[in-house]
Amino acid sequence: MELITIILAGILFGAAAYLMLSKNIIRIIFGTAVLSHGAHLMLLTMGELKRGAVPVLDETVDAYADPLPQALILTAIVIAFALTAIILVLALRIYKELGTNDIEKMKGDQNAD
Amino acid sequence: MTLIHLAILLPIIAAVIVGLSKKYSKRIHTGWLVLPVPLLIVIYFLTLIPDVNRHDVLYHSMNVMPNIGLNFDVYVDGLGLLFAILISGIGALVVLYSIGYLSHREDLTSFYIYLLIFMTAMLGVVLNDNVLGLYLFWELTSISSFLLIAFWYNRERSLYGATKSMLITMGGGFLMLGGFLSLYLITGSFSIREMIAQVDLIQASELAPIAIVLILLGAFTKSAQFPFYIWLPDAMEAPTPVSAYLHSATMVKAGLYLVARFTPIFAFSELWVWLILLTGLITLAWASFNAVKQDDLKAMLAFSTVSQLGLIMSLLGLGALGVHTGAAEELFTVAIVAAVFHLINHATFKGALFMLVGIIDHESGTRSLKRLGGLMTIMPITGTMTAITAASMAGLPPFNGFLSKEMFLEVMVNIRHADFSFLSDVSILFPILAVFGSIFTFIYSVILFKEVFLGKETEDTPKTPHEAPWLMLASPLILSLLVIVFGLFPNILSQTIIDPAAMGILGTTTALDTQIYHWHGFDSPALWLTVFIIVSGTLLYMTRHHWMFIYEYHKEHFTLNYLYDRGLVYSRISSKQLNDKFVNGNVSHYLAYVLGFFVIVSIYTFIVNGMAIDIRTASPITLQEMIVVTIILIALAGILVVKSRMVALILLGSIGFSMALLFVMFRSADLGLTQLAIETVTTTIFLLVFSKLPDKESYKYSVKLNIPHLIISVGVALTAIIIGYSAYSNRLFDPISQFHIDNVYDLAAGGNMVNVILVDFRGFDTLFETLVFAIAGLGVYSMMRLRLNTKKEGDDHEEHIDESRL
């Protein structure tokens, strides 16, 4: 199963890269969201999958899934959410100030320097 | 800190005092306050002559940064003392001259501060034993020279000349530092005397040629040798006292000092000898040839300075050759003596000539040869002194220039006796170049005197010319007297100053007992060469209108100045083009550079280090998991291609919920829960923002397929997969989680391991994650509320409603 999740995470990274390379700021935000999914999946895979029960103490179980990557991912999910929220609002604000969502139109005055 | 340290630092201390006493010096010319400084120093250095004659070398150390080897170690031998006397002596004369030359209207305080800084820097260069200290003072001379050339900073030509000299001399100085560091790598010492002691180590080292070339580049740029001489004519925009002091007598000789000082170290090398010899001779011939065509008197003197520096440089090369071969030792000792002697002579007559040209400029308002003429009856004293010094420059008896020129020619003719690589094959070249240079030196010396002072008076001058005040005449008068005295009684110099200096260059302690004579007898080849130079020079001068046309062929495009200017322009243009091409303000380009770099570096690493993929312990695959994975892939493909952002958002949400499902399948209950909640909130925020973004069309346009982006993305995906695989299959250690699993109840009294890790084992992560969340919340709030440029009130009201909805 690890093989498949690593490939899936790689595809998520590639798709995120493609989305982030585009001009529209909404697509860039979609890209960051996809990127964080890929990263979480990769983290979980590195801790090895399905090698025991859910990591909640139980006298009858002798093997648990690795709890440490799960804790790390939990932190990462929350931070990724905070990031997504703030760049979304940033995109909104940019649209209100500049009237565009196209990052190529956000260059400012080229002759200023 | 000894008296000699104080002597070196006295000018810079005086500079501070001059700066502080600015407002009290309105009545009296600042120069009078400055004049005692070089006088005191020169008197002090003159008292050291007996010590140096007894070969009592003065060495005083002063620690500055001993840990890196940077010390202010003063070392006085004949060579250093000669330069120190020249610097302080001519410095005193130049200060005296500048009192008459510069009026109260100028910014005198700045002028003398720069001049005093320069004096300290120059004394520090010639009396330093530590190469790092030498380099620091060396750069200080470049900086103070830059400030002095740009003294009239509102003139464009001054700024151009100052920048040019700064770029060239500082570039050379920096390369020289590289040479010093290579010497340090070889010998492990920054002290010149210790390097001389370890010369066999340097001889054996492969770094020695690099050190030689780098140090010579420093010396050649400073001493305006071919092809780096181009800054010197443009430095003539400086006030004339500066030109006389820096650009004829002292700073341009720093390179000669450097070559002389390092001769005992590098004389073993053929590279050193050939480079110095050839560069010196080419400079001599080329600059004297070019001096003849100059119209501006100062430009003519600048080229003349370059040519004379080339002469001294070539003599130093021959002296090094003497050390190299060991044979015909007497001949090459003469070369060193001639070099030192001409160094002194050039300082006297060239300093005087610059001051005299300054007087002509000051009293008539022009330096152009076309507008001057017949000044002899108006300015008889200036005229007489010009005649004397120009004759000395041309090498006529009985002045001192004659003596050193004789010695130079003699050495150049006798060079054929030297047994040194293929020198004997090309030895005929040296006298030819030397005589060629000397003939043109003769011609421009004649032009300098005759065109200005003889002939009929012109009415063309901006001011009515008249004789200068005694204040300005005093300094050139002293120098002209020295020209005559040294010419008639050369041996007062030979025992006292020249011999110790020559011994310093050769690195010996045996007395040389030099005697300089006027008359060498009829069998001396130098005599006949001098006669030949005078005759052919006179003939060429008479017929100059018939051959001056050859300078017409010397087109602008082939000059070094043109190359320098074009080089500057093109470096500016190409760096701007490069910048515009790669830093074009397009964010997706930058991201492409970052990702491309990531991919290339990863691939390179894998090619170099190889990889081992080993999936021996993969867990089983179930159908449910495959279905979820398929859903994610389909949704992903949809996001990439759909033209409606709403559909894309729904697909993104479905990826998030599928991720939650995967988490559940992979035994991560808390993750699944959080993912579900977060995904729901994220989608809600997206929806809220979408309702505020009306231009749905713009999303459609950005969906178009972009092949370069596709390639980069595929590269990223493959790299991530390869890295993931190799990381997974090369696990080096067992996970540390067993500790958490074993101790979750005993140490933390909890059953849910993930939660215990979050709040107990690794609670700090959670603390700051909460902080991130808080900051994000504040950021969102302030982004919605903050209005830095307040718009119309109607807008404001509308915004308010938006916020409440958010």
Side-chain angles (χ1 to χ4, degrees):
Chain A
M1 192 63 216
E2 281 84 351
L3 277 134
I4 291 164
T5 48
I6 287 172
I7 292 172
L8 182 63
I11 292 170
L12 283 165
F13 282 136
Y18 188 80
L19 285 168
M20 286 161 78
L21 282 166
S22 69
K23 285 185 289 189
N24 191 292
I25 207 162
I26 298 299
R27 273 173 81 82
I28 292 174
I29 299 170
F30 282 162
T32 57
V34 172
L35 187 70
S36 63
H37 287 320
H40 301 156
L41 194 57
M42 195 66 111
L43 263 176
L44 195 64
T45 310
M46 290 299 133
E48 299 199 327
L49 300 172
K50 300 193 287 184
R51 300 296 157 88
V54 174
V56 176
L57 204 58
D58 188 342
E59 293 298 327
T60 59
V61 176
D62 50 68
Y64 296 100
D66 195 338
L68 197 55
Q70 296 189 19
L72 296 181
I73 293 166
L74 201 60
T75 313
I77 287 176
V78 175
I79 290 174
F81 166 69
L83 184 76
T84 310
I86 205 160
I87 55 177
L88 255 176
V89 177
L90 187 64
L92 180 62
R93 182 68 192 265
I94 287 171
Y95 179 75
K96 295 215 160 172
E97 296 286 332
L98 303 175
T100 179
N101 267 332
D102 187 342
I103 53 161
E104 284 190 0
K105 292 178 184 157
M106 297 176 193
K107 286 186 191 174
D109 190 2
Q110 285 294 292
N111 300 320
D113 53 10
Chain B
M1 191 80 168
T2 57
L3 197 57
I4 190 149
H5 284 110
L6 189 68
I8 293 174
L9 295 177
L10 185 63
I12 217 162
I13 298 167
V16 175
I17 295 169
V18 166
L20 290 176
S21 65
K22 186 176 180 179
K23 59 182 162 193
Y24 305 108
S25 61
K26 287 274 187 266
R27 296 237 188 100
I28 185 168
H29 196 287
T30 320
W32 293 115
L33 302 174
V34 174
L35 189 59
V37 174
L39 275 178
L40 274 176
I41 298 173
V42 75
I43 290 167
Y44 173 69
F45 281 129
L46 286 174
T47 60
L48 293 180
I49 290 181
D51 289 340
V52 170
N53 274 339
R54 286 198 308 273
H55 312 303
D56 291 347
V57 168
L58 298 175
Y59 179 78
H60 296 290
S61 188
M62 187 169 114
N63 281 355
V64 181
M65 296 185 193
N67 283 340
I68 63 162
L70 171 62
N71 290 329
F72 188 10
D73 296 340
V74 169
Y75 169 62
V76 186
D77 65 347
L79 182 65
L81 190 63
L82 162 69
F83 273 92
I85 291 172
L86 277 182
I87 291 159
S88 45
I90 296 185
L93 294 177
V94 161
V95 171
L96 181 66
Y97 175 77
S98 67
I99 295 172
Y101 187 85
L102 292 171
S103 70
H104 269 292
R105 285 191 300 276
E106 308 282 358
D107 182 6
L108 291 174
T109 313
S110 303
F111 179 80
Y112 286 109
I113 287 175
Y114 302 156
L115 202 70
L116 288 166
I117 292 175
F118 171 77
M119 212 177 282
T120 283
M122 207 57 214
L123 289 172
V125 166
V126 297
L127 296 176
N128 224 315
D129 184 48
N130 186 291
V131 286
L132 283 185
L134 195 156
Y135 171 72
L136 285 183
F137 283 112
W138 183 278
E139 292 296 38
L140 196 57
T141 65
S142 296
I143 294 167
S144 48
S145 162
F146 170 79
L147 291 169
L148 283 167
I149 296 169
F151 179 63
W152 288 308
Y153 51 81
N154 42 10
R155 296 184 193 169
E156 206 181 320
R157 294 293 306 169
S158 302
L159 293 180
Y160 172 78
T163 315
K164 192 176 187 178
S165 75
M166 173 100 143
L167 283 176
I168 294 176
T169 56
M170 287 228 155
F174 194 65
L175 294 176
M176 187 185 78
L177 178 66
F180 289 161
L181 293 181
S182 351
L183 274 181
Y184 173 73
L185 290 179
I186 300 169
T187 62
S189 166
F190 285 120
S191 161
I192 296 174
R193 290 200 305 167
E194 282 176 33
M195 287 176 192
I196 294 175
Q198 303 186 20
V199 71
D200 47 344
L201 212 63
I202 298 171
Q203 196 159 1
S205 169
E206 288 174 358
L207 271 176
I210 298 171
I212 286 174
V213 171
L214 289 177
I215 288 177
L216 278 185
L217 277 173
F220 288 168
T221 48
K222 199 74 162 184
S223 277
Q225 297 295 297
F226 191 88
F228 307 111
Y229 67 87
I230 50 172
W231 65 268
L232 190 60
D234 283 307
M236 292 301 127
E237 297 300 323
T240 302
V242 173
S243 308
Y245 189 33
L246 274 68
H247 305 128
S248 73
T250 54
M251 188 182 88
V252 287
K253 291 192 173 131
L256 298 177
Y257 167 79
L258 197 74
V259 170
R261 180 54 88 203
F262 279 86
T263 294
I265 299 180
F266 287 130
F268 68 84
S269 159
E270 290 194 9
L271 183 68
W272 174 266
V273 174
W274 277 116
L275 272 177
I276 296 174
L277 196 56
L278 286 178
T279 311
L281 276 173
I282 291 169
T283 311
L284 163 71
W286 177 250
S288 63
F289 175 70
N290 272 303
V292 174
K293 73 166 176 183
Q294 303 301 324
D295 175 54
D296 181 7
L297 287 176
K298 271 177 94 175
M300 182 181 272
L301 287 181
F303 275 102
S304 153
T305 303
V306 174
S307 136
Q308 307 274 325
L309 292 171
L311 188 154
I312 301 172
M313 191 67 91
S314 65
L315 282 172
L316 287 174
L318 277 184
L321 204 162
V323 177
H324 183 93
T325 57
E329 203 171 305
E330 209 164 303
L331 169 68
F332 298 110
T333 312
V334 174
I336 292 287
V337 170
V340 175
F341 192 33
H342 198 70
L343 194 104
I344 302 170
N345 294 344
H346 179 252
T348 54
F349 69 69
K350 193 52 66 66
L353 275 171
F354 266 108
M355 291 175 186
L356 293 166
V357 165
I359 288 172
I360 297 166
D361 185 17
H362 204 263
E363 305 307 336
S364 71
T366 182
R367 299 196 306 250
S368 170
L369 277 174
K370 289 196 189 74
R371 302 173 76 176
L372 291 165
L375 290 179
M376 196 64 194
T377 50
I378 305 165
M379 306 168 80
I381 305 169
T382 313
T384 313
M385 289 194 290
T386 310
I388 293 168
T389 45
S392 175
M393 177 161 76
L396 300 183
F399 306 110
N400 57 5
F402 169 72
L403 299 167
S404 44
K405 190 65 78 63
E406 282 279 271
M407 291 160 91
F408 168 65
L409 292 172
E410 191 185 323
V411 174
M412 283 296 157
V413 171
N414 287 332
I415 201 171
R416 64 177 187 275
H417 300 307
D419 174 27
F420 175 66
S421 69
F422 52 93
L423 188 77
S424 53
D425 302 330
V426 292
S427 63
I428 189 67
L429 194 69
F430 296 97
I432 288 176
L433 277 175
V435 169
F436 177 82
S438 302
I439 291 172
F440 279 92
T441 305
F442 182 82
I443 298 172
Y444 67 68
S445 303
V446 172
I447 291 176
L448 187 66
F449 175 69
K450 197 162 170 290
E451 304 277 296
V452 176
F453 289 101
L454 302 183
K456 67 175 193 307
E457 288 177 40
T458 56
E459 306 296 324
D460 206 16
T461 49
K463 292 191 209 166
T464 316
H466 57 85
E467 188 58 273
W470 280 105
L471 196 56
M472 284 173 83
L473 289 173
S475 296
L477 196 62
I478 293 169
L479 287 173
S480 307
L481 282 176
L482 285 180
V483 166
I484 299 172
V485 170
F486 291 162
L488 295 179
F489 311 105
N491 287 320
I492 58 168
L493 283 179
S494 64
Q495 297 294 320
T496 49
I497 293 180
I498 295 177
D499 272 4
M503 281 147 61
I505 298 173
L506 292 168
T508 61
T509 49
T510 45
L512 297 172
D513 290 327
T514 313
Q515 293 291 332
I516 300 168
Y517 301 108
H518 274 270
W519 185 246
H520 297 267
F522 282 112
D523 55 347
S524 159
L527 177 73
W528 300 110
L529 280 177
T530 306
V531 172
F532 173 70
I533 288 165
I534 293 172
V535 170
S536 56
T538 314
L539 283 175
L540 277 174
Y541 174 72
M542 297 294 197
T543 58
R544 70 186 185 286
H545 297 297
H546 299 289
W547 57 267
M548 286 290 264
F549 68 87
I550 56 168
Y551 290 113
E552 302 289 318
Y553 290 114
H554 191 63
K555 286 282 186 285
E556 176 75 4
H557 282 52
F558 297 108
T559 58
L560 289 163
N561 261 331
Y562 183 79
L563 272 181
Y564 166 83
D565 288 338
R566 288 283 93 183
L568 269 193
V569 168
Y570 279 123
S571 63
R572 204 173 296 151
I573 290 175
S574 52
S575 64
K576 180 159 168 46
Q577 280 175 342
L578 202 69
N579 199 46
D580 286 352
K581 191 165 162 49
F582 289 104
V583 190
N584 52 8
N586 198 331
V587 183
S588 52
H589 284 198
Y590 302 162
L591 187 63
Y593 303 149
V594 173
L595 294 177
F597 183 76
F598 161 71
V599 170
I600 289 167
V601 168
S602 308
I603 290 172
Y604 174 78
T605 314
F606 280 121
I607 289 172
V608 171
N609 296 331
M611 51 187 159
I613 289 181
D614 167 26
I615 310 286
R616 64 207 179 286
T617 54
S619 54
I621 302 165
T622 62
L623 182 64
Q624 297 98 308
E625 288 160 359
M626 283 317 292
I627 292 170
V628 177
V629 168
T630 318
I631 291 171
I632 293 179
L633 286 175
I634 291 168
L636 206 53
I639 290 180
L640 291 174
V641 295
V642 293
K643 293 187 175 172
S644 157
R645 64 183 186 209
M646 206 51 111
V647 177
L649 174 61
I650 292 164
L651 291 171
L652 184 69
S654 72
I655 292 179
F657 291 121
S658 309
M659 285 294 292
L661 263 180
L662 272 185
F663 287 152
V664 171
M665 287 168 181
F666 296 150
R667 321 279 194 269
S668 332
D670 303 280
L671 280 186
L673 211 59
T674 317
Q675 180 67 31
L676 276 177
I678 293 280
E679 198 57 40
T680 314
V681 182
T682 311
T683 312
T684 316
I685 297 179
F686 266 107
L687 283 172
L688 276 174
V689 171
F690 280 1
S691 67
K692 298 289 152 203
L693 295 175
D695 66 337
K696 296 192 178 89
E697 290 297 309
S698 76
Y699 190 83
K700 259 184 206 170
Y701 293 123
S702 62
V703 181
K704 276 184 294 182
L705 183 69
N706 187 323
I707 299 296
H709 289 177
L710 190 68
I711 293 169
I712 292 173
S713 310
V714 171
V716 169
L718 287 176
T719 317
I721 291 168
I722 294 172
I723 292 176
Y725 265 147
S726 20
Y728 180 77
S729 40
N730 295 294
R731 194 177 282 266
L732 295 176
F733 309 104
D734 285 333
I736 57 167
S737 331
Q738 198 55 46
F739 169 81
H740 299 117
I741 295 169
D742 292 343
N743 295 300
V744 65
Y745 192 79
D746 299 338
L747 291 182
N752 186 330
M753 293 165 201
V754 176
N755 288 2
V756 167
I757 289 173
L758 279 176
V759 298
D760 202 319
F761 289 126
R762 301 177 59 89
F764 274 118
D765 283 1
T766 315
L767 175 65
F768 291 108
E769 165 205 340
T770 323
L771 190 65
V772 167
F773 211 71
I775 291 170
L778 281 173
V780 168
Y781 177 76
S782 49
M783 254 192 290
M784 294 318 296
R785 289 301 294 263
L786 195 64
R787 288 285 177 273
L788 286 177
N789 44 349
T790 37
K791 288 181 182 168
K792 282 169 278 173
E793 284 194 16
D795 279 352
D796 215 280
H797 186 62
E798 204 181 14
E799 308 281 319
H800 199 72
I801 299 168
D802 295 343
E803 283 156 31
S804 56
R805 285 184 61 185
L806 254 175

